[in-house]
Amino acid sequence: METNIKIKLIKRKKIWYDIGPYAFLYIPAILISLLVTYFVYNDYNFGIVNFLFISIYLLYIFLLDKKKYGWWIKNYEVIGEICLSNEVIEIQENGIITTYKINELRKIHLKEDFYQNYTAMRDIIHNGIGSIILDNGYDKRKVFFLLVNKSELESLHALKSEWKRNGLSIWT
């Protein structure tokens, strides 16, 4: 069974607020420490201060905390496409075509996030962004791709099972 898929190849854009999730863990601690120091030196009522701290933390969660997730589709741009088949993986990026033969690869590390805007009951909305790391023994290449609809996801799963039948090591 021959399976061919063409999927959009994307690249992550760097955004000014994309400072990583660890930095956002420390922002509220720093702000609250500064406020506690200020209120301790000015002899304020700590009942009001605690209410103020809780309010600031809730504002932080609702307004700033969402910005730490820089992996959503608006932060990517399409730079080409990746063509997957039983024998080759072809990456077309900015006019340059790179071809990897399946029988020459040692392993593939493949991750996918369902497809764009997929949602299930009591579940988050998925962005459809996946990644693939191609390892041929002397070189590793990581690219990101976008699954737009359910048929692309099903085709990818069928191709993945075909690769496994042919003896390729696939990590998920």
Side-chain angles (χ1 to χ4, degrees):
M1 182 172 115
E2 185 70 25
T3 307
N4 291 322
I5 311 168
K6 287 191 177 194
I7 303 172
K8 293 179 183 177
L9 188 67
I10 55 177
K11 182 178 103 176
R12 185 172 187 216
K13 294 184 212 173
K14 191 67 176 171
I15 301 171
W16 67 271
Y17 60 73
D18 193 10
I19 59 176
Y22 294 113
F24 277 95
L25 289 175
Y26 299 114
I27 288 174
I30 292 169
L31 289 175
I32 290 173
S33 299
L34 290 173
L35 285 173
V36 165
T37 305
Y38 174 77
F39 288 128
V40 164
Y41 284 119
N42 291 321
D43 295 327
Y44 279 92
N45 181 358
F46 278 99
I48 296 172
V49 172
N50 287 337
F51 175 74
L52 184 63
F53 292 154
I54 292 169
S55 301
I56 289 172
Y57 191 68
L58 289 176
L59 281 173
Y60 163 77
I61 288 172
F62 289 120
L63 298 178
L64 294 176
D65 196 47
K66 293 177 187 173
K67 292 191 186 276
K68 74 179 177 184
Y69 300 107
W71 288 87
W72 296 99
I73 190 63
K74 68 179 184 176
N75 299 331
Y76 282 85
E77 60 184 332
V78 177
I79 58 170
E81 65 182 11
I82 182 168
C83 303
L84 307 169
S85 72
N86 291 352
E87 285 103 31
V88 295
I89 296 175
E90 194 174 85
I91 300 171
Q92 300 172 4
E93 181 179 359
N94 298 326
I96 300 171
I97 299 173
T98 310
T99 304
Y100 295 92
K101 293 185 179 178
I102 296 297
N103 57 4
E104 294 176 356
L105 292 174
R106 285 182 47 206
K107 68 179 175 181
I108 292 178
H109 191 201
L110 182 66
K111 292 183 178 180
E112 76 260 352
D113 186 17
F114 292 100
Y115 54 90
Q116 192 174 11
N117 297 327
Y118 168 80
T119 185
M121 183 181 276
R122 297 184 183 165
D123 200 4
I124 63 170
I125 296 175
H126 296 273
N127 56 12
I129 296 173
S131 68
I132 185 168
I133 301 174
L134 305 169
D135 184 4
N136 56 8
Y138 56 88
D139 186 25
K140 287 185 181 180
R141 172 118 188 243
K142 183 175 186 176
V143 293
F144 293 95
F145 58 88
L146 175 65
L147 296 172
V148 179
N149 52 35
K150 188 176 181 178
S151 65
E152 286 183 357
L153 180 67
E154 290 170 349
S155 298
L156 183 64
H157 286 185
L159 186 62
K160 187 167 64 169
S161 62
E162 188 70 29
W163 286 342
K164 285 182 181 179
R165 269 196 299 274
N166 292 337
L168 182 63
S169 175
I170 299 177
W171 296 41
T172 54

